[in-house]
């Protein structure tokens, strides 16, 4: 394998990693925003005791 082909493959792999990291960061930002909104909605709840217990039947 020649050096030019190896350089191209490494550059492509690096770009792919950078894109993956950028997508992951964006997903984390969205999740953080959604979590913050959910916490604010829960704090504004009229009946804060609702949701403290969960009854399950299996």
């Amino acid at each position: 394998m020649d050096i030019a082909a190896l350089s191209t493959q490494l550059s492509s792999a690096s770009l792919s990693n950078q894109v993956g990291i950028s997508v992951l960061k964006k997903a984390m930002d969205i999740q953080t925003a959604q979590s913050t909104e959910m916490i604010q909605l829960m704090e504004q709840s009229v009946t804060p005791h609702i949701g403290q217990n969960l009854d399950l039947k299996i």
Side-chain angles (χ1 to χ4, degrees), residues 3 6 35 45:
I3 294 175
L6 181 60
S35 298
S45 176

Side-chain angles (χ1 to χ4, degrees), residues 8-22:
T8 302
Q9 287 179 349
L10 289 175
S11 177
S12 176
S14 176
L15 177 63
S16 178
N17 284 340
Q18 290 174 355
V19 169
I21 289 170
S22 295

Side-chain angles (χ1 to χ4, degrees), residues 22-57:
S22 295
V23 170
L24 180 60
K25 284 181 180 180
K26 184 66 175 173
M28 289 173 62
D29 290 343
I30 291 170
Q31 183 64 37
T32 301
Q34 289 175 343
S35 298
T36 302
E37 289 176 17
M38 184 182 295
I39 290 170
Q40 289 174 349
L41 288 173
M42 291 174 67
E43 288 174 348
Q44 295 173 359
S45 176
V46 176
T47 52
H49 64 280
I50 292 178
Q52 291 179 348
N53 299 322
L54 179 63
D55 296 333
L56 295 175
K57 291 183 181 180

